[in-house]
């Protein structure tokens, strides 16, 4: 599977999407009523789409995923985007990844080492060298870090405001992968939302993610 999307719930997808497009210098992909998409392509590294899907009410779920970006600030700054999502600006030179304006995707974890093993298996991203950061990087060793950071509190009932999507590779069996996710501590989620081209899961710490069909 491939880590493909960072997905934001947003009342105004265009406003939030264009904000992030400006911050990261990404390429616009989709501008529709239902949502906005923009692409971060790291040279010789990963391609990640930031997707902003329209929701009827302001997101109130837990903020267990946030982004850290590289900027020209002299000191580290805590900010929020137009949708109220907190993010961090890091001074140039302080980020782990120096080849991408998106430095870190931070995901809260009850057990960071356990969840790193789970996400490494799920995405094929590789553990970083031992150190204070429990994280993964694309096999190219370029682009942002996916950091599993100790959670401040256990995951509650609400849906995360931001989640990740992974996509099956051609030939991968969705049911077999779903079984393997459960065997590794995740679980499948079932919603009464009708037929969708993806399946919903939670990682071992309860963070939602979607598994997209393999490309045709």
């Amino acid at each position: 599977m491939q880590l493909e999307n960072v997905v934001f719930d947003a009342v105004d997808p265009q406003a939030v999407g264009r904000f992030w497009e400006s911050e990261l210098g990404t390429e616009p992909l989709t501008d529709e009523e239902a949502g906005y998409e923009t692409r971060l392509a790291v040279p010789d590294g990963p391609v990640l789409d930031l997707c902003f899907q329209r929701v009827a009410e302001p997101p109130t779920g837990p903020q267990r995923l946030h982004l850290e970006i590289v900027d020209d600030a002299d000191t580290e700054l805590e900010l929020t985007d137009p949708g109220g999502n907190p993010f961090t600006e890091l001074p140039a030179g302080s980020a782990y990844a120096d080849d991408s304006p998106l430095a870190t995707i931070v995901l809260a974890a009850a057990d960071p080492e356990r969840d790193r093993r789970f996400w490494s298996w799920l995405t094929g991203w590789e553990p970083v060298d031992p150190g204070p950061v429990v994280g993964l990087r694309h096999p190219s060793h370029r682009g942002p870090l996916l950091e599993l950071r100790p959670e401040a509190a256990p995951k509650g009932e609400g849906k995360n405001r931001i989640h990740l999507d992974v996509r099956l590779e051609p030939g991968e069996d969705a049911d077999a992968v779903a079984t393997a996710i459960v065997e590794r501590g995740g679980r499948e989620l079932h919603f009464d939302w009708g037929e969708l081209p993806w399946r919903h899961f939670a990682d071992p710490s309860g963070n939602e993610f979607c598994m997209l069909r393999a490309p045709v």
Side-chain angles (χ1 to χ4, degrees), residues 131-202:
V133 174
V134 179
L136 300 164
R137 289 191 83 184
H138 186 266
S140 65
H141 301 288
R142 298 180 65 81
L145 182 76
L146 174 59
E147 181 182 348
L148 290 308
R149 192 172 292 178
E151 63 187 16
K155 172 74 161 65
E157 292 297 323
K159 176 180 176 289
N160 286 0
R161 297 170 58 166
I162 307 174
H163 70 268
L164 301 175
D165 287 349
V166 296
R167 185 177 293 280
L168 293 168
E169 295 281 10
E172 284 189 299
D173 182 85
D175 290 333
V177 172
T179 297
I181 287 171
V182 173
E183 290 173 346
R184 287 167 170 79
R187 60 191 174 96
E188 187 160 8
L189 306 173
H190 300 280
F191 303 104
D192 187 19
W193 294 344
E195 186 68 22
L196 295 170
W198 56 78
R199 291 165 71 169
H200 299 88
F201 295 87

Side-chain angles (χ1 to χ4, degrees), residues 42 56 58-59 66 70 128 155 169 178:
V42 178
H66 74 271
V70 180
V128 298
K155 172 74 161 65
E169 295 281 10

Side-chain angles (χ1 to χ4, degrees), residues 81-128:
D81 71 12
N85 302 299
F87 69 96
T88 305
E89 283 190 355
L90 302 175
S94 66
Y96 190 90
D98 58 4
D99 49 24
S100 166
L102 176 58
T104 317
I105 303 167
V106 181
L107 184 62
D111 183 336
E113 289 288 357
R114 176 201 63 191
D115 286 12
R116 176 164 66 173
R117 291 191 295 270
F118 177 88
W119 282 97
S120 181
W121 165 79
L122 189 68
T123 65
W125 285 29
E126 300 173 351
V128 298

